[in-house]
Amino acid sequence: MNLDKYFKKADLIPAVVQEKSTGEVLMLAYMNKESLSKTLETGYTWFWSRSRSELWNKGATSGHYQKVLEIYSDCDDDTLLVMVEQTGAACHTGNHSCFFTKIK
């Protein structure tokens, strides 16, 4: 599979991670070509850490892995929707989702 079409506009693209069984949005992270390739290869999410400038496998430290069930691209091929089976918490704070702070 040629992944170049997803990275025509930028080296990093947003990846929205959603729990397939509940529809809950778990997190937003960024992928580069290598992390998307590793995600497709392994069946588990890999992202690019903008703060650490390195690849990271979600759950490698915490044990809270994300098994990839489906991946969709948006109409412009510059954003991904990653449908997963989440083990444990998706958020580094221990919350199931990173979206737990209500603003309004």
Side-chain angles (χ1 to χ4, degrees):
M1 170 185 256
N2 184 354
L3 304 180
D4 290 337
K5 73 178 189 173
Y6 304 110
F7 301 94
K8 286 182 181 176
K9 296 177 186 173
D11 292 336
L12 293 177
I13 58 173
V16 177
V17 181
Q18 185 175 15
E19 191 164 35
K20 183 160 174 69
S21 63
T22 65
E24 183 177 19
V25 175
L26 300 175
M27 58 184 281
L28 169 72
Y30 292 86
M31 288 187 167
N32 62 11
K33 196 183 303 184
E34 185 179 4
S35 63
L36 178 54
S37 179
K38 287 181 85 64
T39 296
L40 292 168
E41 242 175 65
T42 65
Y44 289 88
T45 54
W46 286 79
F47 302 106
W48 179 257
S49 171
R50 296 180 302 162
S51 60
R52 296 186 314 267
S53 296
E54 66 183 15
L55 285 176
W56 58 284
N57 174 225
K58 179 67 178 161
T61 303
S62 65
H64 298 169
Y65 291 99
Q66 296 172 334
K67 181 178 181 182
V68 176
L69 303 175
E70 300 168 333
I71 301 176
Y72 297 91
S73 66
D74 73 340
C75 56
D76 295 322
D77 286 331
D78 63 2
T79 303
L80 300 176
L81 174 62
V82 184
M83 305 295 288
V84 302
E85 179 183 297
Q86 177 69 46
T87 301
C91 186
H92 71 280
T93 64
N95 287 284
H96 187 69
S97 168
C98 292
F99 297 96
F100 60 88
T101 303
K102 186 174 182 177
I103 293 174
K104 181 177 177 182

